[in-house]
Amino acid sequence: MYKLLGGLSKYLKRQEIVTDSVVFRMHTLFTAVLLFTCSLIITATQFVGNPISCIVQGLPTNVINTYCWITSTFTMPDAFNRQVGIHVAHPGVANDFGDITARKYYPYYQWVCFVLFFQAVMCYVPQWLWKAWEGGLIEALAKGMNYGIDSKENLTKKKSLVMDYLMMHIRNHNTYVYRYFACEVLCLINIIFQLYIMNRFFDGEFLSYGWRVLQLSDIPQEERIDPMVYVFPRVTKCLFHKYGPSGTIQQHDSLCILPLNIVNEKTYIFIWFWFFILAVLLITQILYRAMIIFAPFIRPKLLHLSTRVLPIETCQSVSRKVDLGDWWILYILSSNMDSLIYRDFLMEFTKKMGDASSKALA
């Protein structure tokens, strides 16, 4: 299992240069690794253990198991309300009395591992897109200044190169910041879309899945209907037809146990809570980005909070002289440079911009 999942650990390693937010990484890296892991575990479970075991008399068990797995099994929804051991043998397992329309089929459980895989890919897309758009700009600017252990001459040279770049490309970074904000919006769209797709995938049962599990503890024991058993039944029915000795069609009614659904129900209850928490965090993040765009007065405060060693006056001065894109570059550099180096750099950069403005006015 470690060999199977060990390759995913590199996506969770601490990054030396950070160009995105914690919430963004929670969506694009942690969630993608989580879904990949769930997909691999469910896939391995299918091959290590038997995902379905059916009971039928007079027919080879392996044939019935294979047939019921690839064609899907069913339950009777009204049988979930009956008392187990008295009215029904298992939750959802009862005689349909020829009413085919009353059956609830479960065709999705063999597709769960593939759906989880494609969900993981969709979660990683914003990260891939942002890496392509970012192009290693922050790493090129901050490299060598994230630790203050270099010689004074080298640090002075590096700071001078960064200042020259920013002065040369002043007011040309708006595309950079809006592309990043677009990737964060894409994360929120992706989560909402995945919640919708999973709800359709589970026949409209997913959106209320976790909420019903939470409410289960408040319901008396004799009135409880476990929503996890309803969405992922552990015992189902399967019908197999074959020709008899005289050419007549014979129907064989089998009872099937689905041990894989024990893994599925726990997997999706965790995914339900995680996706709703992530959706709330992403909505908060988008509102926060909107404030940065439409309320410029908070930018100096954010720059000051990023590194307390900077005077608030310096943060106010530089924020007034640059556009949103340039301010965002400076804000990201604050988390990728040594705090003392960044303080000296920003104070020199503010002075240099003031001198440039004075020459332009003269």
Side-chain angles (χ1 to χ4, degrees):
M1 185 62 72
Y2 176 77
K3 292 182 179 180
L4 191 65
L5 303 177
L8 297 174
S9 61
K10 64 179 182 179
Y11 294 100
L12 301 178
K13 288 182 178 178
R14 182 182 177 275
Q15 301 175 4
E16 291 292 330
I17 302 297
V18 177
T19 62
D20 45 25
S21 67
V22 174
V23 177
F24 186 79
R25 292 194 297 275
M26 287 168 65
H27 176 278
T28 58
L29 296 178
F30 178 79
T31 306
V33 170
L34 170 67
L35 294 172
F36 271 126
T37 301
C38 292
S39 177
L40 289 172
I41 290 174
I42 290 173
T43 304
T45 305
Q46 290 185 27
F47 288 104
V48 172
N50 194 358
I52 187 171
S53 297
C54 297
I55 303 171
V56 66
Q57 294 181 351
L59 293 174
T61 303
N62 60 329
V63 174
I64 298 300
N65 288 345
T66 304
Y67 173 81
C68 293
W69 176 253
I70 63 177
T71 59
S72 73
T73 59
F74 66 91
T75 60
M76 301 296 295
D78 64 333
F80 285 98
N81 299 317
R82 305 177 195 174
Q83 192 170 356
V84 177
I86 298 177
H87 302 111
V88 294
H90 300 279
V93 178
N95 196 331
D96 57 20
F97 298 104
D99 187 3
I100 299 177
T101 58
R103 300 172 185 170
K104 178 179 174 60
Y105 282 89
Y106 298 86
Y108 49 74
Y109 47 74
Q110 59 263 62
W111 295 99
V112 166
C113 58
F114 302 105
V115 171
L116 287 170
F117 175 81
F118 286 114
Q119 283 183 259
V121 172
M122 290 175 64
C123 285
Y124 188 74
V125 165
Q127 176 77 354
W128 173 82
L129 192 61
W130 172 237
K131 280 186 175 181
W133 279 343
E134 203 272 336
L137 175 62
I138 299 299
E139 183 177 7
L141 294 176
K143 194 172 183 179
M145 291 191 288
N146 47 345
Y147 300 106
I149 56 175
D150 207 345
S151 64
K152 186 176 181 180
E153 292 77 12
N154 285 339
L155 290 175
T156 302
K157 184 178 179 181
K158 289 174 183 177
K159 285 189 290 184
S160 178
L161 289 173
V162 175
M163 279 188 280
D164 290 342
Y165 168 84
L166 291 174
M167 292 297 295
M168 187 181 302
H169 297 88
I170 198 73
R171 294 183 175 85
N172 288 327
H173 294 108
N174 285 343
T175 302
Y176 180 93
V177 65
Y178 283 122
R179 281 179 173 178
Y180 173 67
F181 289 172
C183 288
E184 290 192 333
V185 172
L186 183 60
C187 291
L188 178 59
I189 294 172
N190 178 60
I191 285 295
I192 294 173
F193 177 72
Q194 288 204 31
L195 286 171
Y196 170 77
I197 290 297
M198 282 190 288
N199 195 53
R200 291 291 300 271
F201 184 60
F202 293 115
D203 296 328
E205 300 288 344
F206 183 75
L207 288 181
S208 60
Y209 181 51
W211 181 247
R212 284 181 290 156
V213 172
L214 286 176
Q215 290 179 321
L216 192 63
S217 59
D218 298 329
I219 302 174
Q221 184 69 35
E222 61 275 6
E223 298 178 11
R224 289 186 180 183
I225 301 174
D226 191 346
M228 292 191 289
V229 174
Y230 185 77
V231 179
F232 298 103
R234 298 156 194 175
V235 182
T236 56
K237 293 182 67 175
C238 177
L239 298 178
F240 181 80
H241 297 89
K242 77 179 187 68
Y243 285 104
S246 62
T248 56
I249 297 178
Q250 297 179 345
Q251 177 176 291
H252 294 267
D253 193 346
S254 60
L255 198 66
C256 297
I257 302 172
L258 299 169
L260 186 62
N261 273 353
I262 297 293
V263 180
N264 287 337
E265 67 180 26
K266 306 302 187 297
T267 298
Y268 276 97
I269 192 61
F270 183 81
I271 290 175
W272 188 92
F273 282 105
W274 177 247
F275 269 44
F276 274 93
I277 291 171
L278 197 56
V280 172
L281 291 175
L282 285 167
I283 291 171
T284 306
Q285 184 89 326
I286 298 304
L287 294 175
Y288 170 58
R289 299 306 184 206
M291 289 179 62
I292 292 176
I293 296 172
F294 299 109
F297 64 88
I298 71 168
R299 296 175 194 170
K301 298 176 183 178
L302 294 175
L303 201 59
H304 179 63
L305 288 173
S306 65
T307 170
R308 293 291 186 141
V309 296
L310 266 173
I312 186 64
E313 294 79 15
T314 302
C315 299
Q316 291 171 342
S317 176
V318 73
S319 297
R320 285 195 300 266
K321 296 173 183 177
V322 297
D323 286 343
L324 174 61
D326 304 312
W327 176 87
W328 182 257
I329 295 290
L330 295 173
Y331 181 70
I332 294 298
L333 285 175
S334 68
S335 59
N336 289 286
M337 292 172 62
D338 179 79
S339 58
L340 296 178
I341 296 175
Y342 182 74
R343 181 196 62 185
D344 297 338
F345 160 76
L346 197 62
M347 294 181 72
E348 291 176 21
F349 179 69
T350 306
K351 183 180 179 182
K352 193 170 185 178
M353 286 198 67
D355 294 341
S357 299
S358 300
K359 290 180 181 178
L361 292 173

